[in-house]
Amino acid sequence: MAAACTHINISYRNLVRSCCRSKNTKINPSKVCPQQYDQIWSQIRQEAESDMKQDPLLSNLYHCAILSHTSLESALSNYLALKLCTPHVSPDSLAAAFLKALSEHGQIGRAVRDDLTAVRDRDPACISYVHCFLNFKGFLACQAHRLAHHFWINGRTALALLIQSRVSEVFAVDIHPRAEIGSGVVIDHATGVVIGETAVVGNNVTILHSVTLGGTGKAAGDRHPKIRDGVMIGAGAKILGNIEVGPNARIGAGALVLKEVPAGATAVGNPARLVGSR
């Protein structure tokens, strides 16, 4: 047992060293994201510097995760790789695959930044961009899904499913890599969130913990919910079947939704009933 523990400790140290080696693949900023988005990366670096001054204990973390990188794409690739690697899939190889996807497909990077902004604006518990980036597992799970979805639609299904499995183990969030998720999404607290294969989540959606976007078990094919822009889904809500929740609707905590919810409506209860609109 002692030998096994020693091996684990050495492996973890090696992972940290690997994470600290920035893979600064050349990125064309105009291809990755519009110029104004660079302000978010600059803000993250400034916040990291400030946090290090307040608590030097965090210096190594902030240096390895943030300050040793030249772009948000590089930092995110390495941080996720450290979280999701396995004894048989190295952080170096994962980080390289993640960074290649982020470098070649700027829409992923734009969605990452939109998610950061959404969490900072809509979650009162979020004190800074860097706090979200390092510590919010809902944000990290969502970004890992974006990469898994990219691999899925490009035929690398085995890698996509491995990422899904690791995200479920590490972050307690299970999102099928085929599911489509928009930008500006907040997955708050995140524990227990399940999103099925044919689900669609629009832009500016907020999902709290223990939410299920699942099937009824009675259908095959396209069998999961379609959540439109601006929807708020409360903790523990279950939305089942190929049904639509219209733009700006609200789903109450613990609701069981089996029928469509109109735009702007509020659904509560088990089974859910409509109680108002906005």
Side-chain angles (χ1 to χ4, degrees):
M1 179 63 72
C5 292
T6 301
H7 173 71
I8 291 172
N9 290 335
I10 292 173
S11 298
Y12 182 75
R13 289 197 295 271
N14 289 338
L15 293 181
V16 173
R17 294 190 191 103
S18 177
C19 183
C20 289
R21 292 196 298 269
S22 174
K23 295 174 175 57
N24 294 321
T25 297
K26 291 183 179 180
I27 297 174
N28 183 346
S30 64
K31 183 177 180 181
V32 173
C33 59
Q35 187 64 32
Q36 65 266 27
Y37 280 118
D38 292 344
Q39 297 174 6
I40 292 178
W41 175 237
S42 297
Q43 182 67 28
I44 288 173
R45 292 180 63 88
Q46 292 172 17
E47 291 168 354
E49 294 276 10
S50 176
D51 285 358
M52 287 169 56
K53 291 179 182 178
Q54 292 181 13
D55 197 333
L57 177 66
L58 302 176
S59 295
N60 190 50
L61 168 63
Y62 281 98
H63 175 75
C64 288
I66 305 294
L67 298 175
S68 64
H69 300 279
T70 59
S71 70
L72 178 57
E73 283 72 19
S74 174
L76 181 62
S77 297
N78 280 271
Y79 197 58
L80 282 178
L82 180 61
K83 295 281 189 180
L84 302 179
C85 65
T86 76
H88 307 293
V89 181
S90 74
D92 283 353
S93 59
L94 271 182
F98 292 165
L99 185 55
K100 186 175 187 293
L102 287 164
S103 301
E104 293 178 351
H105 299 275
Q107 70 273 19
I108 305 176
R110 287 190 288 271
V112 172
R113 289 163 172 83
D114 287 344
D115 291 349
L116 278 166
T117 301
V119 176
R120 185 71 181 91
D121 290 346
R122 305 209 302 264
D123 186 348
C126 182
I127 61 176
S128 65
Y129 288 118
V130 74
H131 174 53
C132 173
F133 181 94
L134 293 176
N135 301 321
F136 277 35
K137 67 178 184 178
F139 168 78
L140 293 170
C142 188
Q143 309 327 309
H145 166 74
R146 296 192 188 286
L147 291 162
H149 181 70
H150 165 78
F151 296 133
W152 179 274
I153 63 177
N154 283 278
R156 302 181 69 180
T157 55
L159 177 58
L161 291 168
L162 173 65
I163 294 170
Q164 176 195 4
S165 175
R166 290 293 295 142
V167 168
S168 178
E169 293 171 358
V170 174
F171 301 127
V173 175
D174 194 347
I175 308 175
H176 193 283
R178 184 182 169 186
E180 300 176 23
I181 295 182
S183 63
V185 172
V186 176
I187 304 179
D188 192 15
H189 296 292
T191 300
V193 168
V194 176
I195 300 179
E197 179 182 10
T198 59
V200 175
V201 176
N203 300 320
N204 303 312
V205 171
T206 299
I207 300 173
L208 273 66
H209 56 282
S210 298
V211 164
T212 298
L213 306 181
T216 62
K218 300 177 181 179
D222 191 356
R223 60 197 183 279
H224 296 109
K226 311 299 181 279
I227 310 300
R228 303 309 180 192
D229 295 353
V231 171
M232 165 73 178
I233 306 177
K238 314 301 177 188
I239 305 174
L240 307 180
N242 184 14
I243 59 175
E244 180 169 315
V245 177
N248 301 312
R250 299 174 69 86
I251 308 299
L256 174 61
V257 182
L258 301 174
K259 297 180 180 179
E260 294 194 358
V261 179
T266 298
V268 300
N270 181 358
R273 65 190 187 282
L274 302 182
V275 296
S277 62
R278 60 191 178 110

